[in-house]
Amino acid sequence: MNKIIDPHLHFFDRTRGHYQWLKEGYPPFWPDKAKIRHDFHENALTLKQKSTLAGFVHIEAGFDNTRPWREIAWLESSCSLPFKAVAGIDLTLNENDFVLQLTQLRQYHCVIGCRHILDDQAYKILSQKQVQNNLAHLANNHLSFDLQMSLSDKPAVNLFIQILQTLPSLKVIINHAGWPPITSTETHTQTQESTWQQWQSSLEALSAFKHCAIKCSGWEMVDRQYKNQWQFDIITQCIQSFGVKRVMLASNFPLVLFTQKYHELWEHYLTLNLPKAQIAALTCTNAAHWYKFN
C-alpha cells in the first residue's frame, strides 16, 4: 500500500469563506476558472485502491484574508483525516497587529506555518522593514513560511537570501518549485535558457540553507498542457539541488483539475522513473517531517 501525504492542497466552502479570487470578474482572469468554482473538501480526494491518503497540508485559500483564523476553525471542525494547516497572513501588517494574528492562529493545533503570496510583488514586499521583522516573529514562534514567488526573479531571490542569513532558524518551504520556466526543444530561445539558468542558480543558492525545502506542484499553473518530461526535469533538478529529503511532491488540488483528476496525478508520481525509496520519501515521508506530522 502506498501511503501519501499531500503537502499542498486547498478546500473551498463558498457559503462560509470570501474567496474573492474565485469569483467571476476578479483576477486571475483564467478562461477555465469556472472549473474550480465549486465547494471542495476531503471527500473529493479519491485515490486508487493501492494508495491511501495518510494526511494532507491545507494551504490558505483566501477564505478570509483579514481574519485568517476563521479558515482554520472551519478546517478543524470539518476535517477527519490527519492534517496540518498553513494559514494566510499579511506580512505587511504593523508588528502589533501581526503578533496579534499569530497569537490567534497559534491557538489552533493544526497550524504549522503561514503564507503570504509574493509572486510578482516579491521584491517590493520583502524590501519592507516590517515584513522582515514579521518574518522574524514567524521564526521566533516556530512557524514555517511557505514561500511563493518566482525563483527566476533574481533581485527578489537575492534579497530573500539576505533575509535568511539574518534569520537562520526560519523554516522555509518553497511552493510550486519556485515557478520553473517552461522549456521546449521546439521553441527554445535564448530568453528561455537565461530564465532556466536563473531558476537553477536560485535553487542552488537557497538549498544552502538547511531549513529550506521545496514542494513540486502547480504544473497546471505554468502550462495547462505541460509535458511530463518537463515535469520530470523539474523534479530531478530539485532533487539534485536540495537532496531527496528536502523535496516533496504535491497536488495543488483542486487546481490540478485543470489538467487531470486527483488520483491520476498521484498515479503518475508513484510511477516516476526513480528508486522506490525516493518515491516514498517524495510522496509521504518528507511531508511528514517538514510539516511535523510525526
Side-chain angles (χ1 to χ4, degrees), residues 14-292:
R14 293 168 302 148
T15 63
R16 296 172 181 262
H18 297 165
Y19 307 110
Q20 290 292 106
W21 68 278
L22 272 180
K23 296 176 181 177
E24 189 174 359
Y26 288 84
F29 298 109
W30 302 325
D32 52 357
K33 189 160 70 171
K35 192 166 188 176
I36 60 167
R37 196 179 294 127
H38 302 282
D39 293 344
F40 292 99
H41 212 278
E42 283 182 342
N43 58 2
L45 304 176
T46 57
L47 296 170
K48 290 298 185 181
Q49 289 183 348
K50 292 183 179 179
S51 299
T52 182
L53 191 63
F56 61 84
V57 182
H58 185 277
I59 310 299
E60 61 87 19
F63 186 103
D64 187 337
N65 291 335
T66 59
R67 295 174 294 171
W69 55 87
R70 289 189 61 236
E71 182 174 48
I72 307 304
W74 166 62
L75 291 168
E76 289 202 349
S77 68
S78 60
C79 293
S80 57
L81 285 169
F83 80 98
K84 300 294 182 178
V86 173
I89 202 160
D90 184 354
L91 285 174
T92 68
L93 289 172
N94 68 64
E95 285 190 65
N96 289 338
D97 289 342
F98 188 85
V99 170
L100 184 61
Q101 286 209 357
L102 281 188
T103 301
Q104 291 267 23
L105 290 169
R106 291 189 69 216
Q107 294 178 21
Y108 298 91
H109 75 276
C110 69
V111 174
I112 197 67
C114 293
R115 180 173 80 160
H116 179 139
I117 295 175
L118 302 175
D119 281 348
D120 294 342
Q121 298 295 310
Y123 187 85
K124 179 180 179 181
I125 293 171
L126 292 172
S127 297
Q128 300 174 39
K129 183 60 177 176
Q130 72 265 31
V131 169
Q132 298 173 18
N133 291 339
N134 289 338
L135 285 170
H137 284 300
L138 278 183
N140 293 337
N141 281 273
H142 308 290
L143 292 171
S144 60
F145 178 58
D146 263 50
L147 174 70
Q148 184 165 316
M149 71 177 197
S150 171
L151 298 190
S152 300
D153 184 346
K154 185 176 181 179
V157 171
N158 288 343
L159 177 56
F160 192 69
I161 287 171
Q162 292 175 25
I163 293 170
L164 287 181
Q165 288 169 342
T166 67
L167 298 174
S169 64
L170 178 63
K171 182 186 289 186
V172 174
I173 301 174
I174 300 166
N175 287 191
H176 305 317
W179 295 131
I182 281 290
T183 55
S184 169
T185 54
E186 292 84 3
T187 62
H188 191 75
T189 66
Q190 189 172 356
T191 300
Q192 283 183 327
E193 179 65 25
S194 176
T195 305
W196 176 266
Q197 289 178 355
Q198 181 55 54
W199 175 79
Q200 283 183 307
S201 177
S202 296
L203 280 186
E204 291 296 325
L206 288 167
S207 70
F209 297 90
K210 299 307 179 185
H211 284 88
C212 188
I214 192 164
K215 292 185 289 190
C216 296
S217 58
W219 318 105
E220 69 288 339
M221 307 310 297
V222 180
D223 185 354
R224 297 289 199 264
Q225 286 82 42
Y226 70 86
K227 300 290 193 284
N228 285 340
Q229 184 59 52
W230 169 78
Q231 179 197 64
F232 186 70
D233 290 345
I234 301 300
I235 293 169
T236 53
Q237 184 62 59
C238 288
I239 294 172
Q240 182 177 326
S241 297
F242 279 83
V244 71
K245 292 184 178 181
R246 289 194 283 158
V247 180
M248 294 166 267
L249 301 181
S251 72
N252 199 31
F253 179 86
L255 288 83
V256 63
L257 301 177
F258 285 135
T259 59
Q260 60 196 305
K261 294 179 180 178
Y262 185 74
H263 71 84
E264 290 173 339
L265 177 68
W266 286 105
E267 286 174 36
H268 174 67
Y269 283 157
L270 292 167
T271 56
L272 289 173
N273 187 24
L274 293 169
K276 287 186 177 180
Q278 287 194 11
I279 290 178
L282 296 172
T283 58
C284 184
T285 312
N286 295 346
H289 169 74
W290 284 94
Y291 284 107
K292 298 183 179 179

